[in-house]
Amino acid sequence: MTDTLPEGHPLAWEDLVPYEQQQGGYWLYPTGCDVYGNGKIWVRVPRPERPGELAGFANQMHALAQEMKTRGLDTRNRAMADLGAELEGLAVRAKDAAAG
């Protein structure tokens, strides 16, 4: 993406159509872009944070960590169990960040 976008870009999140919101941005066809789309620019539009989003991700991480640890111990895969324990530590940090 170029560092200099035309005035008025990027568009606000609310101005994007649902497909563009799903993709996280839109294609901009500036002057000089040919009929094949050569010269087009991808404009990324970050989605606004939703209330409780970080807590939701932390809960997902915690569930994955527990599953990895359990599966690693059940299959005697020490590396998987260790990674699950590491991920659990990150999940605790994420929950702390979400709380305050």
Side-chain angles (χ1 to χ4, degrees):
M1 187 169 101
T2 181
D3 291 339
T4 56
L5 290 172
E7 188 176 333
H9 294 279
L11 298 174
W13 180 259
E14 298 79 26
D15 294 336
L16 301 181
V17 296
Y19 173 77
E20 292 170 334
Q21 288 181 348
Q22 181 183 7
Q23 298 301 312
Y26 59 95
W27 286 106
L28 182 63
Y29 296 84
T31 305
C33 183
D34 67 19
V35 295
Y36 301 107
N38 294 318
K40 66 185 178 183
I41 302 168
W42 175 253
V43 181
R44 185 176 173 275
V45 181
R47 180 178 53 79
E49 186 176 343
R50 296 178 190 145
E53 185 173 36
L54 183 56
F57 286 135
N59 289 335
Q60 290 175 353
M61 285 175 56
H62 183 73
L64 179 60
Q66 287 184 327
E67 187 176 340
M68 283 181 71
K69 281 175 43 180
T70 302
R71 184 72 180 138
L73 294 172
D74 288 349
T75 60
R76 292 186 171 84
N77 184 337
R78 187 72 185 156
M80 186 185 300
D82 290 346
L83 285 172
E86 278 186 57
L87 185 57
E88 191 167 42
L90 291 174
V92 168
R93 286 180 46 204
K95 282 185 178 189
D96 291 344

